[in-house]
């Protein structure tokens, strides 16, 4: 390898952000399980508190294990910096806390993870941050929803759970024209399958709980600053970034920190004051998970395609919604934004409706019946009887959670065993 060749994705997944521990030589990043860090002297303490030097004060703000995770995800997403936090929802909250003032609006594609829909509709209202819903599969509807108060656009790359693939390039161009940042939730794709920055995203968020950590053992989230948005030249005033900051001696964050100012602002204002810090132990587990992200995603996609192909031919299956199937209406868009694979989460319809759906889930043995995705284990849920149980039939169908819908998150077990389990359960339905 030429010395000046930039390392590629699998190399970054293992090495980015990390170095042998300077004090012990430990090759693997240690779990810095400490609440706080000793100052060298009074001047050092003062410079840390004034943001004049980088260093550790207290684990609510920074921690060395967390810092390695941040360096790694920033590298994988092609960003300038990242902020790791306690959950995917905490990441989303801090993004909007950094961007919005009371009374501001943002446009979101309505094809989102159900928890995000709740967060935007209910909790955000308490801050008078107003979501305007549009159709993520129709970029023109996003453009139409933008008003003088709109300060951001939010979409998922591969949308949970319908197997939709979103035209990030078209939406990125809309954000550029409107002069506002595009935020992409890249949880279902992971940066291995899709790097939203290439299509115009300015900020990327993840639930690290899912494919990034990959083992269903810890909750975490991350914000990536792509370093692309010009806060100082923007038509809107993003106050947290551009105004003199009273809690840091009048410092203007965008002026001082340039192309990683958003990541700094989310940390030194949002995380500092709201407080959803990631535990060093969870950061360690997720970091270890990320080292095998490329291998896992290849196997997740290979298995998911095999399972979707099997289901699409099964006489008891009404339909299969997997973008990786060449017959899918989403396949062309998948080849555009995530050509290496369509991910591992998709839905299918079992003939016989509600009864058949619940029975199928009950008869599966290898699949775990639970509310999560992105685990090495294969997972299943019947939304109509669980996550979407409180809704009316019409609401459920509109949300893609009709009575016959079964959602799978295909793991990395042997595909014959995954298909065999579905085969025996379908025989019982
Ligand atoms: C799970 C999930 C979230 C929320 O993340 P948490 O880590 O559970 O807080 C957000 N977006 C998507 C697409 C998810 O799958």
């Amino acid at each position: 390898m030429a010395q000046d060749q930039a390392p590629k994705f699998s190399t970054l997944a293992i090495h980015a952000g990390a170095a042998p521990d300077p004090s012990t030589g430990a090759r693997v990043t240690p779990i810095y399980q400490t609440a706080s860090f000793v100052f060298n002297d009074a001047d050092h303490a003062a410079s840390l508190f004034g943001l004049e030097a980088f260093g550790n004060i207290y684990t609510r703000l920074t921690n060395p294990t967390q810092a390695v995770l941040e360096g790694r995800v920033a590298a994988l997403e092609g960003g300038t910096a990242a902020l790791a936090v306690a959950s995917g929802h905490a990441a989303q909250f801090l993004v909007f806390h950094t961007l919005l003032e009371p009374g501001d609006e943002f446009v979101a594609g309505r094809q989102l993870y159900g928890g995000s829909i709740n967060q935007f509709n209910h909790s955000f209202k308490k801050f008078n941050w107003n979501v305007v819903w549009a159709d993520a599969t129709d970029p023109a509807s996003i453009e139409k929803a933008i008003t003088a108060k709109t300060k951001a656009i939010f979409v998922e790359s591969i949308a949970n759970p319908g197997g939709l693939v979103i035209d990030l390039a078209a939406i990125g161009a809309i954000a550029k024209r409107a002069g506002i940042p595009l935020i992409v939730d890249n949880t279902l794709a992971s940066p291995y399958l899709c790097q939203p920055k290439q299509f115009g995203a300015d900020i990327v968020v993840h639930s690290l709980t899912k494919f990034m950590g990959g083992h269903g053992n810890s909750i975490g989230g991350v914000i990536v600053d792509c370093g692309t948005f010009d806060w100082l030249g923007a038509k809107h005033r993003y106050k947290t970034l551009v105004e003199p900051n009273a809690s840091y001696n009048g410092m203007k964050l965008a002026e001082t920190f340039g192309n990683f100012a958003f990541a700094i602002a989310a940390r030194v204002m949002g995380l500092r004051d709201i407080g959803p810090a990631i535990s060093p132990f969870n950061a360690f587990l997720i970091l270890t998970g990320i080292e095998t992200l490329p291998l896992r995603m290849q196997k997740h996609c290979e298995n998911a395609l095999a399972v979707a192909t099997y289901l699409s031919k099964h006489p008891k299956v009404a339909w299969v919604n997997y973008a990786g199937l060449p017959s899918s209406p989403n396949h062309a868009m998948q080849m555009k934004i995530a050509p290496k694979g369509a991910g591992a989460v998709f839905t299918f319809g079992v003939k016989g409706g509600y009864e058949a759906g619940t029975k199928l889930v009950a008869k599966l043995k290898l699949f775990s019946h639970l509310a999560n995705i992105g685990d090495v284990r294969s997972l299943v849920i019947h939304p109509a009887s669980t996550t979407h149980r409180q809704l009316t039939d019409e609401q459920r169908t509109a949300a893609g959670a009709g009575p016959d819908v079964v959602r799978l998150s295909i793991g990395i077990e042997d595909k014959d065993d995954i298909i065999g389990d579905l085969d025996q359960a379908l025989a019982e339905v």
Side-chain angles (χ1 to χ4, degrees), residues 43-57 251 257:
D43 286 347
H44 178 228
S47 66
L48 290 178
F49 277 101
L51 296 184
E52 286 136 24
F54 288 105
N56 298 302
I57 299 175
M251 181 184 276
F257 296 105

Side-chain angles (χ1 to χ4, degrees), residues 86-92 112-116 154 156 158-160 185-188 205-210 218-221 372-373 407:
S87 69
H89 272 3
Q92 294 168 197
L112 293 184
Y113 172 70
S116 302
F154 186 100
E156 291 180 12
I158 296 180
N160 177 1
D185 179 344
N186 200 30
T187 299
L188 263 73
V205 292
H206 281 275
S207 169
L208 296 174
T209 316
K210 316 293 170 55
S218 23
I219 304 278
N372 193 17
I373 55 170
R407 185 187 77 192

Side-chain angles (χ1 to χ4, degrees), residues 6-62:
K8 297 204 171 78
F9 194 92
S10 295
T11 307
L12 293 173
I14 294 170
H15 294 284
D21 183 53
S23 57
T24 62
R27 187 63 192 85
V28 171
T29 298
I31 305 166
Y32 286 91
Q33 192 65 41
T34 181
S36 50
F37 302 84
V38 176
F39 306 122
N40 300 342
D41 52 40
D43 286 347
H44 178 228
S47 66
L48 290 178
F49 277 101
L51 296 184
E52 286 136 24
F54 288 105
N56 298 302
I57 299 175
Y58 188 62
T59 286
R60 172 154 45 73
L61 283 166
T62 60

Side-chain angles (χ1 to χ4, degrees), residues 102-424:
D104 285 346
E105 292 177 5
F106 67 101
V107 174
R110 75 171 70 85
Q111 295 84 355
L112 293 184
Y113 172 70
S116 302
I117 295 174
N118 278 336
Q119 186 188 47
F120 296 174
N121 273 340
H122 303 296
S123 289
F124 279 18
K125 287 274 143 70
K126 296 198 168 194
F127 298 83
N128 202 9
W129 305 337
N130 300 304
V131 61
V132 176
W133 295 106
D135 180 356
T137 66
D138 173 16
S141 90
I142 291 188
E143 189 147 38
K144 248 185 265 153
I146 294 172
T147 73
K149 292 183 189 167
T150 307
K151 286 211 172 153
I153 299 173
F154 186 100
V155 294
E156 291 180 12
S157 46
I158 296 180
N160 177 1
L164 295 171
V165 183
I166 303 306
D167 190 347
L168 297 182
I171 298 171
I174 289 167
K176 273 247 147 46
R177 279 201 291 281
I180 56 180
L182 171 62
I183 306 154
V184 174
D185 179 344
N186 200 30
T187 299
L188 263 73
S190 89
Y192 178 74
L193 297 180
C194 173
Q195 203 181 71
K197 181 183 175 182
Q198 290 177 6
F199 303 100
D202 301 292
I203 297 162
V204 175
V205 292
H206 281 275
S207 169
L208 296 174
T209 316
K210 316 293 170 55
F211 292 98
M212 294 288 263
H215 296 72
N217 59 19
S218 23
I219 304 278
V222 72
I223 301 166
V224 178
D225 186 344
C226 294
T228 44
F229 196 78
D230 177 11
W231 306 105
L232 292 168
K235 69 172 190 197
H236 291 294
R237 283 183 74 70
Y238 293 91
K239 287 190 181 177
T240 305
L241 285 135
V242 302
E243 293 200 340
N245 195 309
S247 61
Y248 293 110
N249 253 329
M251 181 184 276
K252 296 176 184 170
L253 298 176
E255 234 165 58
T256 308
F257 296 105
N259 70 357
F260 58 102
F262 186 82
I264 295 274
R267 184 192 307 278
V268 304
M269 298 303 292
L271 183 59
R272 183 194 68 177
D273 294 351
I274 311 289
I278 189 167
S279 92
F281 186 57
N282 280 10
F284 171 84
L285 289 173
I286 292 165
L287 196 50
T288 305
I290 288 175
E291 295 180 352
T292 56
L293 178 71
L295 290 174
R296 284 186 292 104
M297 291 313 291
Q298 286 165 25
K299 183 89 175 185
H300 276 298
C301 291
E302 181 191 320
N303 282 357
L305 182 58
V307 172
T309 304
Y310 157 80
L311 288 172
S312 68
K313 294 177 186 150
H314 198 286
K316 291 187 182 172
V317 171
W319 50 268
V320 180
N321 217 337
Y322 183 59
L325 289 173
S327 58
S328 163
N330 291 295
H331 188 60
M333 190 55 67
Q334 180 237 311
M335 293 309 288
K336 205 166 139 191
I337 77 157
K340 289 202 286 265
V345 179
F346 66 93
T347 51
F348 72 97
V350 56
K351 290 181 185 165
Y354 192 95
E355 286 295 294
T358 50
K359 180 122 193 228
L360 177 76
V361 169
K363 293 290 174 190
L364 286 166
K365 295 175 183 147
L366 180 63
F367 279 81
S368 305
H369 180 205
L370 52 74
N372 193 17
I373 55 170
D375 193 325
V376 289
R377 280 154 277 268
S378 290
L379 314 175
V380 64
I381 198 159
H382 178 240
S385 60
T386 56
T387 49
H388 291 66
R389 154 176 216 107
Q390 314 304 339
L391 305 182
T392 64
D393 274 351
E394 295 78 60
Q395 287 174 321
R396 274 198 282 267
T397 304
D404 63 334
V405 177
V406 176
R407 185 187 77 192
L408 303 179
S409 175
I410 301 300
I412 61 172
E413 302 98 334
D414 284 291
K415 63 173 169 269
D416 292 348
D417 294 328
I418 302 172
I419 292 172
D421 193 32
L422 284 162
D423 206 51
Q424 65 78 23

